[in-house]
Amino acid sequence: MQIRLSSQIAEISHSNLKENFLKEVSKGLHPFIDSALDKNLIKRLKTPKKNFKKIIILGIGGSALGGIAVMRALYRPLKHMEKDSTHFFFLDQIDPDLIFHLSENISLKDTHFIAISKSGNTIETVSLFKFFYKKILDAKLNPKDHFTIITAEKNGFLGKTNLPLITIPKNLSGRFSVLSEVGLLPAKIAKIDIAKIQKGASSAFEHFKKEPAEKNIPLLLAEHQFAHDRAGKNITVVFPYSYRLNRFADWYIQLMAESLGKTPEIGPTPIRAVGPTDQHSQLQLFMEGPRNKQFLFLEVEHHHHAPQIPGETYTLEDLVNAEKKGTEQALAKAGIPTQTLIIPKITEETIGELIMTLELQIALLGKMYSVNTYNQPGVEEGKKIAMKIIHRTIHE
Ligand code: PA5
């Protein structure tokens, strides 16, 4: 395990939590762990036969955010602008103007679509699939060359399309599926070494199993979060000081919000800030506003490049890390609880470690809050009303 945790001492108040959790893991009750450690996953991941210039991923929520986080972290920044590289575009929204202009501007023969939906029926993903499928047919191209489907439900809409199909386990919750086919297929197409991502995840899980409570990073993260939440710090700000980790924050926010927000009385509200940019936006509020927040910083110790600032003795890397330390120390001085996950360098292995560590933290918090971490009943009501509205509108 390469990543480290720097935090104020958290008291371990949940005795036997780890032991009970590991018993549940052995019974298959936390499927994200089995999926992340699955040695056969890489062989099963079939990439498109041809090299495409553009890969468009259709998916939303847990079917998109993990893949986005991995690609932002590990696909070199702005690589799509380099000659002969592939452009990956995650379409996790149905904005009419965006979709119109995208469809006007892409070369369909150079594009492969990966439609990801665990249920195979999510209205946004299915609607985008229908839209682009017709475009492919109209262009007289063979949909079998231009689509890959990832789903858990062979009988869902997408599962029944007779297109190249990758199936995922039915018991794997969407937001915990980043280390499955869902999050790793785009990475494999991008020639990211996904075996190393798995190696990192496995090392983080070993760390969790072996390390005593006072050194156990997922456990300390969970205890710290829970204790401060119960003391009124019920807003958690996740604060990466790294462009490569800015979408990681979005993934983590969904993981925390959709997994733990289950009862009116308790549960954290996660929000995102990205450093140093948001020092010029939200920091005033964080420093002097309501004392209802705790912070989880993500710090990258060594970047792949450290451009020198002309006329100065320091690099951009020195500057970004000094700003992060300055912000954290100022918050701590004001009595605001903070923790930092220190990533020595962004690599496939450390990203695997980071994902597994934070998934374990949220799964442990689910036990502490006594909620069902893996369901999301609260999103159904709005969906039902939307369906009534759209059918009423169409038939009026
Ligand atoms: O994390 C989750 O379970 C959700 O965010 C789902 O991923 C999201 O609702 C999309 O569902 P599906 O993958 O079935 O299209």
Side-chain angles (χ1 to χ4, degrees):
M1 178 83 154
Q2 299 173 50
I3 61 177
R4 311 189 302 278
L5 177 68
S6 111
S7 71
Q8 296 136 358
I9 307 296
E11 221 177 281
I12 302 294
S13 50
H14 295 78
S15 56
N16 295 333
L17 177 66
K18 181 173 119 177
E19 288 65 29
N20 292 339
F21 183 80
L22 286 173
K23 273 188 206 144
E24 291 184 0
V25 172
S26 65
K27 289 184 197 152
L29 296 177
H30 299 280
F32 74 92
I33 297 174
D34 306 309
S35 157
L37 306 183
D38 179 355
K39 292 259 180 315
N40 296 318
L41 180 107
I42 298 174
K43 276 189 236 142
R44 286 203 310 273
L45 265 186
K46 299 236 177 325
T47 53
K49 288 190 196 98
K50 200 183 123 188
N51 282 338
F52 287 92
K53 283 199 187 124
K54 196 177 273 292
I55 303 286
I56 298 185
I57 296 98
L58 313 177
I60 200 160
S63 288
L65 288 163
I68 295 173
V70 169
M71 290 297 288
R72 174 58 56 88
L74 295 173
Y75 201 53
R76 224 171 33 231
L78 309 184
K79 187 160 163 53
H80 66 276
M81 291 165 81
E82 296 169 19
K83 200 170 165 280
D84 295 332
S85 65
T86 308
H87 182 206
F88 291 81
F89 191 47
F90 286 81
L91 217 46
D92 62 347
Q93 56 167 303
I94 52 168
D95 183 87
D97 284 351
L98 173 70
I99 306 306
F100 172 80
H101 286 292
L102 180 67
S103 71
E104 289 290 292
N105 285 298
I106 48 171
S107 158
L108 286 168
K109 73 173 176 32
D110 297 321
T111 303
H112 189 84
F113 296 89
I114 306 175
I116 309 180
S117 171
K118 180 184 161 182
S119 61
N121 288 326
T122 299
I123 187 95
E124 296 88 348
T125 308
V126 167
S127 303
L128 290 176
F129 169 83
K130 288 177 178 169
F131 180 82
F132 287 109
Y133 187 83
K134 171 131 189 347
K135 294 267 172 213
I136 290 285
L137 289 181
D138 291 349
K140 309 243 174 308
L141 295 165
N142 183 354
K144 290 200 169 153
D145 297 332
H146 289 271
F147 282 93
T148 301
I149 306 292
I150 302 182
T151 186
E153 299 292 342
K154 285 192 180 153
N155 290 325
F157 180 89
L158 291 176
K160 289 197 288 198
T161 51
N162 204 21
L163 292 167
L165 183 72
I166 295 175
T167 49
I168 49 168
K170 286 190 184 185
N171 60 356
L172 185 62
S173 157
R175 58 195 167 275
F176 280 85
S177 65
V178 50
L179 294 177
S180 76
E181 291 84 340
V182 171
L184 296 184
L185 181 62
K188 187 169 179 192
I189 299 171
K191 302 198 170 35
I192 290 166
D193 191 341
I194 58 176
K196 286 192 181 153
I197 300 180
Q198 282 197 314
K199 194 171 162 213
S202 155
S203 123
F205 186 55
E206 286 306 308
H207 164 98
F208 171 66
K209 282 198 293 187
K210 286 191 191 135
E211 289 299 329
E214 65 281 6
K215 288 192 192 156
N216 194 304
I217 298 179
L219 205 55
L220 289 170
L221 282 168
E223 290 280 7
H224 186 277
Q225 159 70 48
F226 186 80
H228 288 293
D229 180 26
R230 301 314 291 137
K233 314 289 184 196
N234 59 357
I235 294 181
T236 294
V237 181
V238 54
F239 211 156
Y241 269 66
S242 158
Y243 168 80
R244 284 178 179 250
L245 295 180
N246 64 1
R247 301 307 308 272
F248 223 88
D250 296 325
W251 166 79
Y252 181 68
I253 283 173
Q254 188 217 8
L255 195 69
M256 179 176 267
E258 214 168 29
S259 303
L260 304 178
K262 302 274 159 71
T263 59
E265 296 78 26
I266 51 165
T269 297
I271 62 172
R272 162 185 125 137
V274 176
T277 314
D278 288 322
Q279 289 181 201
H280 303 268
S281 165
Q282 294 154 288
L283 189 59
Q284 169 59 37
L285 164 76
F286 296 160
M287 284 297 297
E288 295 188 335
R291 287 290 196 262
N292 54 359
K293 299 173 198 68
Q294 54 174 298
F295 288 77
L296 176 61
F297 287 96
L298 303 178
E299 177 183 333
V300 179
E301 234 172 357
H302 301 291
H303 294 70
H304 290 256
H305 301 278
Q308 184 73 37
I309 305 168
E312 303 296 348
T313 52
Y314 47 85
T315 64
L316 285 175
E317 177 173 88
D318 296 329
L319 180 59
V320 77
N321 285 342
E323 292 203 53
K324 182 261 155 189
K325 288 188 176 80
T327 304
E328 182 176 27
Q329 285 172 28
L331 288 165
K333 227 165 123 185
I336 297 165
T338 70
Q339 288 182 296
T340 295
L341 275 170
I342 302 165
I343 298 111
K345 188 170 185 173
I346 293 185
T347 62
E348 283 89 342
E349 280 184 60
T350 55
I351 288 301
E353 288 180 11
L354 191 59
I355 293 170
M356 177 58 87
T357 299
L358 293 172
E359 286 186 327
L360 284 168
Q361 180 213 12
I362 299 297
L364 291 167
L365 280 166
K367 312 280 340 145
M368 294 171 166
Y369 286 112
S370 304
V371 294
N372 180 342
T373 311
Y374 302 116
N375 69 358
Q376 55 285 330
V379 300
E380 292 308 318
E381 192 54 27
K383 271 194 215 167
K384 278 187 215 147
I385 299 173
M387 282 305 102
K388 274 190 200 149
I389 293 172
I390 193 158
H391 288 120
R392 201 188 308 139
T393 316
I394 287 165
H395 295 122
E396 261 167 14

